[in-house]
Amino acid sequence: MILLFKITISYVFIYINYRFFKLENEIFEQLSEKEMFFFAIVFAPIIETLIFQLFLYRLLDKTRINNTSIIIIVMSFAFSQAHWYHWLYVVAAFINGLFLNYFYVYILKNKNELIAVLLTIALHTSYNLFGFFLVE
């Protein structure tokens, strides 16, 4: 269900960009198809999950922030800042980060950390795979 929401939001942002802004993502255009596939489907989901979910959640959990919603928002803000290709992409990454981080925290609280990390990587990979084929 979360993947469906993320895909729907992507279509909304693609439409907004196409209709009103026509912002380009030059970084992605410089990569070959194989490099883009490796980066988006393998590297990014693993590294970003380790940094923006596992590590950041552990860090924020040790602070005095007891509100899970605030933790998810902070994690999503950090996630969005790693996607600074243009301002609209950052906004989309923040919203998608909310879903991804909610998913991670939900699984973490109901299962365990390893399962939360692995399922978040799988969700992130699935979403990026969809985006990879959407662009092609």
Side-chain angles (χ1 to χ4, degrees):
M1 193 57 115
I2 288 181
L3 181 59
L4 183 61
F5 285 128
K6 287 173 63 65
I7 290 169
T8 302
I9 288 169
S10 293
Y11 273 117
V12 169
F13 276 96
I14 289 168
Y15 174 77
I16 290 169
N17 186 36
Y18 178 77
R19 179 76 169 92
F20 299 105
F21 302 108
K22 297 188 180 12
L23 300 169
E24 295 292 326
N25 208 344
E26 295 172 6
I27 294 171
F28 294 149
E29 293 172 6
Q30 296 172 357
L31 299 174
S32 72
E33 188 173 318
K34 287 180 183 179
E35 290 170 328
M36 186 63 188
F37 184 85
F38 175 77
F39 180 75
I41 309 307
V42 178
F43 183 76
I46 293 169
I47 297 302
E48 290 177 355
T49 298
L50 294 176
I51 293 170
F52 298 110
Q53 277 86 36
L54 177 69
F55 174 74
L56 195 51
Y57 183 84
R58 283 182 178 178
L59 182 69
L60 292 169
D61 193 44
K62 292 181 191 228
T63 66
R64 294 185 180 196
I65 302 172
N66 296 324
N67 187 323
T68 303
S69 296
I70 299 294
I71 290 174
I72 289 171
I73 289 169
V74 170
M75 291 166 61
S76 300
F77 178 77
F79 179 77
S80 73
Q81 295 308 297
H83 294 83
W84 196 264
Y85 308 118
H86 54 68
W87 68 270
L88 189 61
Y89 202 95
V90 173
V91 173
F94 175 78
I95 293 171
N96 280 313
L98 290 172
F99 286 105
L100 202 59
N101 291 318
Y102 172 80
F103 178 80
Y104 176 79
V105 171
Y106 177 82
I107 299 299
L108 179 66
K109 291 188 183 284
N110 289 293
K111 297 291 182 185
N112 65 49
E113 189 175 76
L114 178 61
I115 292 174
V117 167
L118 293 176
L119 289 178
T120 302
I121 289 170
L123 175 62
H124 195 158
T125 299
S126 299
Y127 174 73
N128 285 6
L129 192 59
F130 171 80
F132 181 80
F133 287 117
L134 179 67
V135 171
E136 292 302 314

